[in-house]
């Protein structure tokens, strides 16, 4: 997901950070899941507006689909490519 976001927003992957928020169904206020992707780089690389726009529901859905497709293809992971992914299609 981070690679997909980096490709689209103009920041390199090393400049992006994430925080994952979640609660299990049995926890108070659960179930809940969320992700925050932000840049911690103080330079002018990319645009924060470009990163923010990727959070729009239709756009985010597209990028989640693309990230899952890349995961399925194992495009940059030779070890992954050596085995069958079983349930992923």
């Amino acid at each position: 997901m981070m690679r997909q976001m980096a490709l689209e927003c103009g920041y390199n992957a090393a400049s992006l950070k994430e925080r994952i928020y979640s609660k299990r169904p049995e926890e108070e206020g659960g179930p809940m899941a969320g992700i925050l992707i932000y840049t911690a780089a103080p330079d002018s690389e990319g645009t924060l507006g470009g990163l923010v726009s990727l959070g729009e529901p239709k756009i985010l859905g597209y990028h989640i689909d693309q990230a899952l497709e890349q995961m399925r293809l194992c495009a940059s992971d030779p070890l992954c490519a050596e085995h069958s992914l079983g349930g992923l299609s």
Side-chain angles (χ1 to χ4, degrees):
M1 184 68 175
M2 297 300 283
R3 277 190 296 234
Q4 180 65 30
M5 293 302 210
L7 286 171
E8 294 296 322
C9 74
Y11 287 98
N12 69 49
S15 297
L16 297 178
K17 306 290 182 209
E18 82 260 350
R19 288 207 58 148
I20 299 172
Y21 300 91
S22 66
K23 287 188 178 184
R24 297 178 186 192
E26 64 272 6
E27 292 181 292
E28 184 179 336
M32 181 273 296
I35 185 169
L36 170 66
I37 299 174
Y38 62 99
T39 180
D43 60 11
S44 60
E45 173 190 11
T47 65
L48 187 56
L51 183 57
V52 169
S53 70
L54 296 179
E56 295 292 326
K58 284 185 178 181
I59 296 170
L60 181 60
Y62 168 79
H63 291 297
I64 290 171
D65 290 342
Q66 290 298 109
L68 290 171
E69 180 66 16
Q70 291 301 317
M71 182 179 73
R72 189 182 72 76
L73 296 175
C74 301
S76 61
D77 187 352
L79 293 176
C80 174
E82 290 178 4
H83 74 281
S84 171
L85 295 177
L88 289 179
S89 56

